[in-house]
Amino acid sequence: MVEVRMRDAFVISLVISLMVLVMSSMMAFFATGMTEEAIQPALRTGLVLGIGVGSVVLLFSLARVRDHAEKGQAREESRAAEVEALRIEMAYLSSETDGAWNVEERIRRERGVLTFDMHGLNAPMAAGATERLLAIRQNLKRVRVVTGRGEILHENSADPGIRPAVLQRLRIGAEAVDWQVLEKAGSITLRPMGTAPTKIQRVRRFVFFVIPMCTIMGFTFRDLAGSTLEEQGLAFGIGSGLLLTALLSSYRDRSG
């Protein structure tokens, strides 16, 4: 998985800010009649929106980078433990397939996601492996199960019975162990439903984000409202900032 650094957060926010600046300036220019007098107000609107959106993106990007940096070492150890736990649990499949299914190759971390490749198994084996997967849910977070598309497309295609067998088991037991089932072509991703933040965490997030969010939103909508509706625009922006901050403060942790 690509590591996002502090510099990347600034670059991302700058790029998004420039994109918003250009697009909003063009839209404001077109909306005001495309006259020479409309150029400066359009640029001013674009600048305000660009800085506002870029600041919000930068704020959350830096918070995310800081969180990842603090948990980096523990996260790597946890990921290694996940791979080992799943390999130990599924080691019996190598014996059942007379070594054709290599646990070291089929269970791996791919682009940061724990991957369980079922190619080489038959439907009953895949169903049994899914039951074991659900049984050790407490040791795992996000898991990608490669099942194939459920049809034979070429000689290396997985057993077409694997996908329906796995889905049947997951539809029965995944929700009970706090996994969300995301079906994709050729694979099934098991994503944690997420841990709801505590009241203290919500308050901390709200206190941390409310001032910059309301400031940015308030001044942005004040400028957009124009000189005749400055107060209404400011009030609307602050209200929007409060609502957005409240929503962001309650997001669930789906890491892993």
Side-chain angles (χ1 to χ4, degrees), residues 13-53:
S13 62
L14 177 61
V15 171
I16 293 177
S17 180
L18 291 174
M19 290 173 60
V20 173
L21 188 155
V22 173
M23 294 301 296
S24 56
S25 295
M26 292 175 62
M27 293 175 65
F29 181 63
F30 294 148
T32 52
M34 295 185 291
T35 61
E36 186 175 347
E37 293 77 13
I39 295 177
Q40 287 189 351
L43 289 175
R44 183 168 177 267
T45 299
L47 185 63
V48 170
L49 283 174
I51 293 175
V53 173

Side-chain angles (χ1 to χ4, degrees), residues 138-151:
Q138 70 275 9
N139 299 325
L140 306 173
K141 293 182 181 177
R142 183 189 297 258
V143 181
R144 175 172 170 263
V145 182
V146 180
T147 60
R149 295 176 179 268
E151 55 184 331

Side-chain angles (χ1 to χ4, degrees), residues 158-176:
D159 185 330
I162 288 178
R163 189 174 180 86
V166 171
L167 282 173
Q168 182 182 17
R169 299 304 188 282
L170 291 177
R171 284 167 182 160
I172 295 172
E175 187 175 351

Side-chain angles (χ1 to χ4, degrees), residues 86 106-110 113-117 143-144 146:
L86 188 55
R106 298 300 185 181
I107 296 178
R108 59 191 182 273
R109 190 163 288 280
E110 197 170 272
V113 180
L114 179 60
T115 300
F116 181 9
D117 190 347
V143 181
R144 175 172 170 263
V146 180

Side-chain angles (χ1 to χ4, degrees), residues 7 9 24 34 54 56-57 79 90 92 103 117 124 146 152 157 165 188 190 227 231 238 245:
R7 183 181 63 181
S24 56
M34 295 185 291
V56 172
V57 172
R79 287 177 173 178
M90 301 300 169
Y92 77 98
V103 68
D117 190 347
V146 180
I152 298 178
S157 293
I188 301 168
L190 304 175
S227 57
E231 292 184 3
I238 293 174
T245 304

Side-chain angles (χ1 to χ4, degrees), residues 214 217-218 221 232-246:
C214 289
M217 297 289 285
F221 280 98
Q232 291 88 334
L234 180 63
F236 180 80
I238 293 174
S240 300
L242 288 171
L243 177 61
L244 188 57
T245 304

